[in-house]
Amino acid sequence: MQRRALELKRAGRTIGLVPTMGFLHEGHLSLLRLARARCDVLVVSIFVNPSQFGPAEDLDAYPRDFQQDEKLCAQEGVDMIFHPEAGTMYSDDASVWIDEELLSRGLCGASRPGHFRGVCTVVAKLFNLVQPDLAVFGEKDAQQLRIIERMVRDLNFPVEIIRGPIVREPDGLAMSSRNKYLSATQRNDALCLQRALGRTRELVQKGVVDTAVLRQAMVELINEVPEACIDYIEFIDDESLAPDEIIKDRTLVAVAVKFGTTRLIDNAILNVH
Ligand code: AMP
């Protein structure tokens, strides 16, 4: 992959990268389209990265369908799929890792220790292997996106990061490969995320800016679903990811809720004007 990428760069071609864990859906495809329009050579990586999964998490169960992914990539004009084996990506005695130390502390970083260390390390490796001029990441994983942007800034990666908006199912559920784990009942229960974010938006529009009040309204809506177990609901500054007590322009509200063993995340940007 690296040899091919360096040849392409020497020939003056621009490379766009969309990193994924496969089992592609419309959310991924929207990122491919954003990248496709901005580069000569579009590379998609499909790699279920072991180092970002905790020991009790769903690494083995994570859905995979490479044939279908290949078809979708062909339809979207992808030039190369980078689909390495875990053993190729990591030496048994790998001992260098990238740890982002500030933005990773809360939210998913608190619930999933070591997760962002795995994400940052694999993304840095992908950047070195694929040599992209630009890479597209989804707003769905809001914390991840900001951590990657910080890594690129702080370690001077010559890569432009492009943000892709959240793509949702017609009923509002954010698309995710993990939605496949949901039973029909849980799939329906999961709509409470969207209801809770929608309610917060409404309240903010009506002038409610105290995040404790907004949080409580969200907790009540989500707790109407007996099976929903809240991991976190956070109102944070869009850049520093520090808690916001009062809503201001571009306060990010981020939620993680478990339905059975499936943990779903969603988020929205709130504006006071
Ligand atoms: P994953 O395969 O889940 O690791 O996701 C790969 C990329 O797709 C990440 O940048 C995600 O943020 C992005 N992504 C996943 N779901 C969505 C979605 N519903 N809308 C937009 N981007 C998404």
Side-chain angles (χ1 to χ4, degrees):
M1 180 68 241
Q2 195 178 55
R3 195 167 56 237
R4 293 277 300 278
L6 288 169
E7 280 164 14
L8 289 164
K9 300 292 279 190
R10 271 194 290 274
R13 316 285 298 283
T14 57
I15 301 177
L17 170 66
V18 180
T20 79
M21 299 206 298
F23 209 70
L24 303 180
H25 51 66
E26 269 300 317
H28 297 114
L29 302 188
S30 72
L31 307 186
L32 298 187
R33 288 169 204 143
L34 280 175
R36 181 65 285 174
R38 289 173 167 80
C39 63
D40 298 325
V41 180
L42 173 55
V43 181
V44 175
S45 61
I46 297 182
F47 180 56
V48 183
N49 173 38
S51 73
Q52 71 190 66
F53 286 78
E57 291 183 359
D58 57 341
L59 174 62
D60 293 332
Y62 197 83
R64 294 162 169 89
D65 187 347
F66 185 67
Q67 276 189 351
Q68 172 69 1
D69 289 349
E70 259 186 322
K71 250 189 243 160
L72 293 170
C73 285
Q75 283 168 17
E76 297 300 332
V78 169
D79 296 297
M80 292 171 74
I81 300 178
F82 180 52
H83 181 48
E85 296 291 329
T88 319
M89 283 294 273
Y90 293 100
S91 302
D92 288 340
D93 60 349
S95 55
V96 179
W97 302 89
I98 296 185
D99 244 324
E100 192 287 327
E101 295 184 344
L102 199 60
L103 308 181
S104 311
R105 280 192 196 155
L107 313 169
C108 292
S111 320
R112 306 182 66 189
H115 171 67
F116 288 117
R117 177 182 192 250
V119 169
C120 285
T121 304
V122 82
V123 170
K125 286 164 71 69
L126 290 169
F127 285 176
N128 283 331
L129 289 162
V130 178
Q131 301 278 311
D133 296 274
L134 59 93
V136 188
F137 291 84
E139 298 263 23
K140 158 87 183 342
D141 298 272
Q143 187 180 17
Q144 165 175 285
L145 176 53
R146 282 147 188 88
I147 291 170
I148 299 295
E149 288 173 343
R150 184 62 64 94
M151 178 182 87
V152 163
R153 186 195 77 179
D154 287 356
L155 297 183
N156 308 96
F157 280 97
V159 182
E160 181 192 355
I161 302 299
I162 294 167
R163 296 179 171 198
I166 302 178
V167 176
R168 299 178 177 282
E169 300 285 356
D171 61 9
L173 182 68
M175 289 195 183
S176 162
S177 308
R178 289 192 169 96
N179 291 349
K180 183 182 158 51
Y181 296 144
L182 301 170
S183 68
T185 316
Q186 289 171 334
R187 171 68 185 71
N188 195 47
D189 288 351
L191 295 175
C192 70
L193 287 179
Q194 183 56 12
R195 281 198 296 276
L197 290 173
R199 179 87 186 114
T200 287
R201 245 201 222 98
E202 268 170 38
L203 289 171
V204 171
Q205 264 166 21
K206 286 188 184 146
V208 181
V209 289
D210 181 338
T211 60
V213 173
L214 294 166
R215 186 175 190 286
Q216 190 50 36
M218 289 181 76
V219 168
E220 278 165 23
L221 260 177
I222 294 172
N223 283 345
E224 281 174 11
V225 174
E227 305 304 317
C229 178
I230 297 172
D231 179 0
Y232 64 72
I233 299 175
E234 301 282 354
F235 293 84
I236 52 181
D237 179 87
D238 183 37
E239 236 187 77
S240 68
L241 305 190
D244 273 345
E245 280 175 22
I246 299 295
I247 300 289
K248 51 182 203 273
D249 272 325
R250 297 195 64 80
T251 292
L252 181 67
V253 52
V255 295
V257 176
K258 268 182 122 174
F259 301 88
T261 52
T262 305
R263 184 174 168 283
L264 300 182
I265 57 172
D266 203 344
N267 68 83
I269 293 280
L270 301 168
N271 281 307
V272 271
H273 297 111

